[in-house]
Amino acid sequence: MLLVLPIALPFLTAIAALILRRSRGDLAVSLAGSVALLLAGVALLSEVLSGGPVAVQMGGWAAPFGITLFADILSAAMVLITGIVAVATVLFSVRDVRDDERRVGFHPLTHALLAGVCGAFLTGDIFNLYVWFEVMLIASFGLLVVGGRREQMDAAVKYVGLNLIATLAFLIGVGLLYGAAGTLNMADLHLVLAERQTETAVLASAALLLFAFGAKAAMFPLFSWLPASYHTPAFATSALFAGLLTKVGVYALLRVFTVVFDGGSPAIGGVLLVGAVLTMVIGVLGAAAQNETRKILSFHIISQIGYMVLGLALFTPLAIIGAIFYLFHHIIVKANLFFLAGAIAWKTGGERLDRIGGLYKAAPLLSVLFLIPALSLAGIPPLSGFWAKFIIVQASLESRDWLIAFAALAVGLITLYSMTKIWLAAFWTDHPDPGHDLTRPLPATMLVPILVLAGLTVIVGLGAGPLYAVAEEAAVTLLDPSVYVGTVLGPEAAARAVALAGEAKP
């Protein structure tokens, strides 16, 4: 039952919010649904921590023939973090989203998106992963055009264009995989493909899925849809996208290229390594060249995705731990930075760096709250981003990839530079319009999410041990798929997976 709730609750909330969207009842339903999702995430993670991974076969069809839902510590933690972002987004939207945007479906679309995100985290079947990606694409397209401004329509066309290409690649890859293996259940695929990783059809499927997931994660060179679109909708929508959408692509890479395909093979690992470094470098250079808050932050999403993919590319236990730790940390920090961009615009009246300013004197608390995630993003100790980068760099050094470690450190420095640009423009310099009223109070529904997410960033930074332990346990499950296989298919299949792993070792 707990495995179904994170998917069912957002769908039920979306339906109720759709019915009530002409009144303000949709807001209350949306907030209640978000809190319920958060509580379901807490319950699911508690069950996994106490009893290990869990799986359920929908409709009474035994795996691998039915639809499998699976949760280990990684997917359960991702559901919990999704619930945190959901509550923060709905709260922030109270004053950020206009009534006309709310009435045309902001809350139903938000919860439909959350259902797709949780479905992707919990599915045990690659075809159903495709289905959940489509749910996310449809809902996110709807959220992009809510408001109907010309720039939103233009951004939505670019967003959907590349994502549809990725979707086509995904579907073709799934078709090739089914033709080669005769199954799409990920646990079953692990057994079927264990000794067939070098077959042409399997390699072609892996390449297509790598392209599809890379596009969803905004890896180089498939990232152009993100900076073209994330600055156009409401700030609450931007924060929701920034926190979750690309991370689903990273999650899919981590899951599929450990359970189904051998992510440690030279071919796959080499492509991931080059893609990760180029993603880091191109993303951070793009951020340094921008002069609007959300455009800078959008390019930083791309750059930070590179760190996560780098952890998978290195494919050592420490590197995988670093990728997972980075994934957890970045969702909170990046969502909060987009909320802060909204708060800055609320106070100063804009997003362009040459048209804002004066907040250091007018809003000192907001100044501190901005510094926390900004410095964390750049990897400054003792915040959560420092530990995420530290683990990745240490893994690079242990692998003797000196240039990779240097690139990771250099990207961190340029990140600090571009975040300093926002700080100097929004907080340190005076507002270019002396008559602009900077005393306009920030609504509590905007301030509270920012405070909570900033607090989580500090807590994780000062007490990184528990989150590291969670990431370490998640990495063990990824690198030893026998636990996954046994939970889904039973102990005999797990024993076979262990035997296959032993045969694969030199």
Side-chain angles (χ1 to χ4, degrees):
M1 182 63 178
L2 279 177
L3 274 170
V4 179
L5 281 178
I7 301 172
L9 285 172
F11 272 134
L12 293 173
T13 304
I15 294 169
L18 182 64
I19 295 171
L20 297 172
R21 74 186 189 282
R22 296 295 180 183
S23 67
R24 294 206 63 90
D26 61 338
L27 174 59
V29 167
S30 181
L31 184 57
S34 301
V35 173
L37 175 60
L38 175 59
L39 294 176
V42 171
L44 181 60
L45 183 58
S46 299
E47 178 168 328
V48 171
L49 287 172
S50 61
V54 293
V56 63
Q57 315 302 329
M58 304 303 295
W61 290 84
F65 305 106
I67 295 175
T68 298
L69 296 180
F70 170 86
D72 58 4
I73 196 166
L74 174 59
S75 49
M78 293 299 287
V79 169
L80 173 59
I81 298 172
T82 299
I84 294 172
V85 173
V87 175
T89 299
V90 174
L91 272 177
F92 197 88
S93 74
V94 174
R95 298 296 297 273
D96 178 57
V97 175
R98 303 192 311 265
D99 278 347
D100 61 314
E101 294 173 325
R102 181 184 56 78
R103 284 193 295 269
V104 297
F106 170 81
H107 290 293
L109 289 167
T110 294
H111 287 276
L113 177 65
L114 293 170
V117 170
C118 291
F121 290 150
L122 295 174
T123 186
D125 180 280
I126 285 193
F127 182 77
N128 284 289
L129 181 62
Y130 163 79
V131 171
W132 294 121
F133 268 77
E134 290 306 287
V135 172
M136 288 190 296
L137 179 61
I138 294 169
S140 58
F141 176 76
L143 285 168
L144 269 180
V145 299
V146 164
R149 297 191 307 275
R150 182 173 180 175
E151 64 173 357
Q152 289 180 276
M153 299 300 176
D154 179 63
V157 170
K158 296 172 183 175
Y159 175 86
V160 171
L162 185 53
N163 274 278
L164 285 178
I165 295 172
T167 293
L168 181 61
F170 195 169
L171 194 56
I172 295 172
V174 168
L176 282 173
L177 192 59
Y178 186 74
T183 181
L184 291 175
N185 181 283
M186 284 191 271
D188 201 31
L189 281 168
H190 176 77
L191 299 176
V192 173
L193 300 181
E195 299 175 333
R196 299 172 56 190
Q197 292 285 321
T198 58
E199 291 183 10
T200 301
V202 175
L203 288 173
S205 174
L208 286 164
L209 293 179
L210 180 56
F211 175 90
F213 298 152
K216 301 292 185 181
M219 281 182 63
F220 177 87
L222 309 169
F223 62 81
S224 60
W225 58 270
L226 193 156
S229 57
Y230 274 29
H231 65 285
T232 59
F235 287 94
T237 300
S238 293
L240 182 67
F241 286 6
L244 297 177
L245 287 189
T246 52
K247 311 317 178 301
V248 179
V250 174
Y251 172 86
L253 285 169
L254 286 169
R255 183 69 74 187
V256 173
F257 285 89
T258 53
V259 175
V260 178
F261 301 109
D262 181 10
S265 67
I268 295 174
V271 172
L272 286 171
L273 189 62
V274 173
V277 174
L278 289 174
T279 301
M280 286 192 299
V281 173
I282 300 300
V284 79
L285 292 178
Q290 301 304 309
N291 66 348
E292 294 184 22
T293 54
R294 279 195 289 182
K295 287 185 178 180
I296 292 173
L297 297 176
S298 294
F299 273 99
H300 274 312
I301 296 173
I302 299 163
S303 176
Q304 304 298 306
I305 290 296
Y307 284 94
M308 301 172 214
V309 177
L310 178 58
L312 176 61
L314 294 172
F315 212 77
T316 64
L318 183 62
I320 298 294
I321 292 170
I324 295 168
F325 193 103
Y326 215 116
L327 187 61
F328 294 159
H329 131 82
H330 192 259
I331 293 174
I332 298 299
V333 166
K334 186 54 69 173
N336 200 19
L337 282 169
F338 274 83
F339 288 142
L340 281 156
I344 290 170
W346 178 275
K347 297 283 287 185
T348 65
E351 294 186 70
R352 284 190 51 166
L353 300 187
D354 58 350
R355 297 180 182 176
I356 59 178
L359 290 179
Y360 181 75
K361 295 178 181 178
L365 176 59
L366 190 62
S367 304
V368 174
L369 292 176
F370 175 82
L371 278 177
I372 291 171
L375 295 178
S376 181
L377 191 74
I380 302 301
L383 301 168
S384 60
F386 167 76
W387 299 110
K389 282 186 172 64
F390 176 81
I391 298 168
I392 293 293
V393 171
Q394 184 179 1
S396 302
L397 294 175
E398 287 186 358
S399 300
R400 297 184 179 275
D401 292 306
W402 316 114
L403 289 177
I404 301 300
F406 174 78
L409 292 171
V411 167
L413 287 175
I414 303 174
T415 301
L416 181 60
Y417 161 74
S418 53
M419 297 310 295
T420 302
K421 283 174 59 178
I422 300 178
W423 164 262
L424 292 175
F427 297 95
W428 199 248
T429 60
D430 293 331
H431 197 284
D433 178 7
H436 184 83
D437 182 14
L438 291 171
T439 62
R440 184 187 187 193
L442 192 66
T445 52
M446 289 184 170
L447 182 60
V448 169
I450 292 171
L451 274 169
V452 171
L453 296 186
L456 288 174
T457 301
V458 173
I459 290 169
V460 170
L462 295 177
L467 188 61
Y468 182 90
V470 169
E472 186 176 33
E473 182 64 28
V476 169
T477 306
L478 286 177
L479 293 170
D480 179 14
S482 63
V483 177
Y484 187 108
V485 173
T487 304
V488 175
L489 298 176
E492 292 184 5
R496 185 182 168 199
V498 170
L500 289 169
E503 292 173 7
K505 292 180 180 178

